[in-house]
Amino acid sequence: MSADRINLLRTKVFDKSKWMQLPRDVVIGHDVIEQIPAVCEDLALGDSVLIVSGGQTRDIAGTRVEALLAGSYDVATFAANDGNPLETIRKAEEAAAEAGFVIGVGGGRVIDTAKIASYNTDRHFISVPTAASHDGIASSRASVPTADGNVSLAAEPPIAVVADTAVIASAPHRLLASGCADIIANYTAILDWELSHRLRGEPLSEYALTLSRMTAEILFKNADLIKPHSEESAWLVTKALVSSGVAMSIAGSSRPGSGGEHKFSHALEKLAPGRGLHGEKCGIGAIITMYLHGGDWEGIRDSLKKIGAPTTPAAIGVDDETAVAALLAARTIRPERFTILDMGLTEESARDLVKMLYRE
Ligand SMILES: [Zn+2]
């Protein structure tokens, strides 16, 4: 067959292409914060760095990172303090534009600020999480609270993740439990993705789906081992969060880790702002969406209990009526992302489900 003919066949039969951005260095373990200079050297990112940190997280780890790099790099710092998040991001961008690369040292808000600023200024980003509270530590999306609820923005996926288990284990256990709940919610996110694939023909990545499910399974199986302030627990959860982020990178969207339970969580954030952490709300939502899928909702609930994550709206200070309203409002959040909550759940059913499934 001639080369022309082969090319013709190629263009006719196969026209898929995909760009996956994955972290290059992932360093997890005891005291690995000390290895940040080696990571920066390995990646050869330039000679000036912006270190984004928060108030508390700067004391916990930010100043250590600054000291480690001060000898070899021009180090600038940026405090992602509370206040208007979009304004903070804009200021972080100004600072990032002056630096060769960006390191985010902190919890969810700091990491999100650093990765959005990196994306918008086209700088490489190194993620140094001080807590394992959600799977944003290794993903290419960031969620930013605004007056109209949370918006999901494009962000720079980290070129490296340096997760020090000693630092992460010293964070409040509630954060780790919330990170676990975010991972356990992968189970229902996947079921929603499969549902949308069957009903709507949405493309499905089996690799991403399998990795996401396997990650949830490993945590589910080891729920007994998740204990407060244990480095072994920090190790397990951080690896799971990174691998969940990788599943999203493979899929090219947050689909493998975000379904109806996330829409419920975002709806709750709108209706009862500031109540409960992101992962906590997703875990609570996953109990109901798993029930609607006909799956093992009690298994989800029991594993959340084991790791110390809340299993009812009341546990995060949300009343049943607000939970019902969030279940019904979930379909208005990202309507293009089809999930089991978009299939015509009635108010009466939502009320029954909340009463039946959210009992201690
Ligand atoms: Zn999440």
Side-chain angles (χ1 to χ4, degrees):
M1 205 183 293
S2 75
D4 279 358
R5 172 88 182 119
I6 289 169
N7 281 337
L8 185 67
L9 273 177
R10 252 186 213 145
T11 49
K12 270 198 161 167
V13 177
F14 192 86
D15 61 357
K16 291 182 187 175
S17 75
K18 201 165 188 177
W19 191 344
M20 301 179 218
Q21 288 194 301
L22 303 166
R24 199 159 98 198
D25 289 348
V26 177
V27 188
I28 304 180
H30 182 73
D31 276 350
V32 295
I33 205 162
E34 303 294 325
Q35 293 176 37
I36 285 181
V39 170
C40 294
E41 200 181 319
D42 178 46
L43 298 169
L45 301 175
D47 44 25
S48 66
V49 57
L50 176 73
I51 300 175
V52 179
S53 202
Q56 267 189 320
T57 49
R58 181 160 186 234
D59 295 342
I60 293 165
T63 48
R64 181 76 198 121
V65 177
E66 287 162 37
L68 284 164
L69 296 177
S72 324
Y73 296 87
D74 267 345
V75 176
T77 60
F78 180 85
N81 291 320
D82 296 324
N84 183 326
L86 291 173
E87 182 60 18
T88 305
I89 290 165
R90 196 191 56 74
K91 287 184 186 155
E93 281 171 20
E94 281 174 17
E98 302 292 314
F101 64 104
V102 177
I103 302 181
V105 185
R109 186 172 42 84
V110 168
I111 298 286
D112 282 349
T113 303
K115 73 206 258 212
I116 296 168
S118 303
Y119 181 81
N120 291 341
T121 53
D122 203 15
R123 297 291 183 271
H124 280 303
F125 163 63
I126 299 179
S127 177
V128 184
T130 53
S133 56
H134 68 82
D135 53 20
I137 61 176
S139 73
S140 62
R141 300 295 299 182
S143 180
V144 178
T146 70
D148 302 322
N150 281 31
V151 290
S152 172
L153 297 179
E156 187 68 24
I159 190 159
V161 180
V162 179
D164 191 317
T165 49
V167 172
I168 291 168
S170 69
H173 180 65
R174 186 183 173 195
L175 299 177
L176 190 85
S178 178
C180 286
D182 206 6
I183 298 289
I184 287 171
N186 284 7
Y187 275 122
T188 49
I190 290 163
L191 290 173
D192 281 329
W193 196 8
E194 288 175 326
L195 179 73
S196 175
H197 173 68
R198 288 193 296 264
L199 268 170
R200 298 274 177 105
E202 184 181 335
L204 195 74
S205 157
E206 269 196 78
Y207 285 99
L209 188 142
T210 306
L211 179 59
S212 176
R213 183 191 289 125
M214 187 192 76
T215 307
E217 263 163 17
I218 291 172
L219 264 199
F220 193 77
K221 229 174 40 198
N222 291 301
D224 286 327
L225 301 176
I226 306 298
K227 300 279 179 243
H229 308 301
S230 131
E231 274 197 69
E232 190 74 42
S233 303
W235 168 265
L236 263 171
V237 180
T238 309
K239 287 210 307 185
L241 292 172
V242 170
S243 108
S244 201
V246 166
M248 293 186 212
S249 293
I250 293 172
S253 84
S254 60
R255 241 320 181 179
S258 170
E261 75 298 319
H262 271 68
K263 295 186 10 154
F264 168 76
S265 165
H266 294 312
L268 259 190
E269 185 57 41
K270 258 188 173 173
L271 297 169
R275 302 282 165 84
L277 301 171
H278 166 78
E280 292 178 338
K281 287 180 280 199
C282 295
I284 293 167
I287 295 173
I288 280 191
T289 56
M290 186 55 106
Y291 175 84
L292 290 173
H293 276 290
D296 180 15
W297 65 275
E298 286 160 306
I300 298 270
R301 183 195 57 191
D302 295 347
S303 63
L304 290 173
K305 272 189 184 158
K306 269 188 213 163
I307 58 177
T311 56
T312 66
I316 56 165
V318 169
D319 60 41
D320 283 3
E321 275 309 297
T322 308
V324 169
L327 281 173
L328 296 170
R331 68 179 72 124
T332 64
I333 311 271
R334 294 191 78 171
E336 78 286 0
R337 176 154 296 182
F338 188 80
T339 76
I340 195 91
L341 294 179
D342 299 270
M343 291 196 68
L345 178 69
T346 64
E347 191 173 337
E348 200 185 353
S349 292
R351 202 157 272 133
D352 288 346
L353 290 175
V354 165
K355 209 180 281 171
M356 182 171 76
L357 306 181
Y358 291 149
R359 289 293 149 254
E360 287 294 347

